[in-house]
Amino acid sequence: MLASHADRERAVDVLRAGFGEGRLEKGEFDRRVERAYKARTVGELALLVADLPAGPVPQPAPVVAVPRTFLPVPRPRTNGKAVGSAVCGLLCLPTFGLTGIPAVILGHAARSEIRNTGEGGDGLALTGLVLGWLSTAGWALMLTLAFMVGLASG
């Protein structure tokens, strides 16, 4: 393979490092630098620096596995019933409490599945449960008061 200007400069850098470390004498260094600038192939450059610690072609770094400590923790899948419970709980007000009971049922089912499978979404299930129970209790209170008013008025 033909040598590029960058290949020649890398070889000269290796020669300079070798001279600086005392591995080459001044005369030997000058002769090798002159041959490096006249070299036509990478093989010729490799011969000039073969007896020095580094060659003109960079060696690929070995692939090192990343320790598990530094890997991102995979997030558990979110339970679908937990999402449904939260949505039903949030829709309690616009639906006048119609979705309160489904929110409670889905919330309890989701929390049970989350405990058994280790999925995520416990906060969503709890949100659906709280909103569903509040809606159901509010409607139960309203119906009780309406029934009491109806009985009192005759």
Side-chain angles (χ1 to χ4, degrees):
M1 182 162 49
L2 292 177
S4 67
H5 294 298
D7 293 330
R8 290 184 190 91
E9 289 301 322
R10 279 194 295 270
V12 170
D13 287 342
V14 171
L15 292 170
R16 282 188 190 120
F19 178 68
E21 294 171 354
R23 298 178 191 275
L24 296 173
E25 294 181 11
K26 177 69 171 147
E28 179 71 19
F29 169 71
D30 291 335
R31 281 191 300 276
R32 287 192 189 195
V33 168
E34 184 179 336
R35 285 178 53 198
Y37 283 122
K38 291 180 181 177
R40 290 188 36 95
T41 65
V42 175
E44 292 174 40
L45 294 173
L47 289 174
L48 292 173
V49 296
D51 58 342
L52 297 173
V57 180
Q59 299 296 322
V63 177
V64 180
V66 177
R68 293 183 56 83
T69 307
F70 300 110
L71 291 176
V73 178
R75 292 180 47 178
R77 204 178 114 240
T78 303
N79 186 289
K81 290 180 184 173
V83 173
S85 174
V87 169
C88 286
L90 290 172
L91 289 176
C92 282
L93 191 61
T95 61
F96 300 107
L98 190 63
T99 58
I101 293 175
V104 171
I105 293 169
L106 287 171
H108 282 296
R111 292 197 74 196
S112 175
E113 286 181 10
I114 289 169
R115 276 192 297 273
N116 293 334
T117 63
E119 292 177 312
D122 192 50
L124 293 171
L126 191 60
T127 301
L129 274 171
V130 169
L131 293 175
W133 278 118
L134 286 174
S135 171
T136 303
W139 278 105
L141 182 65
M142 293 284 284
L143 288 175
T144 303
L145 288 176
F147 182 72
M148 299 283 257
V149 168
L151 283 178
S153 65

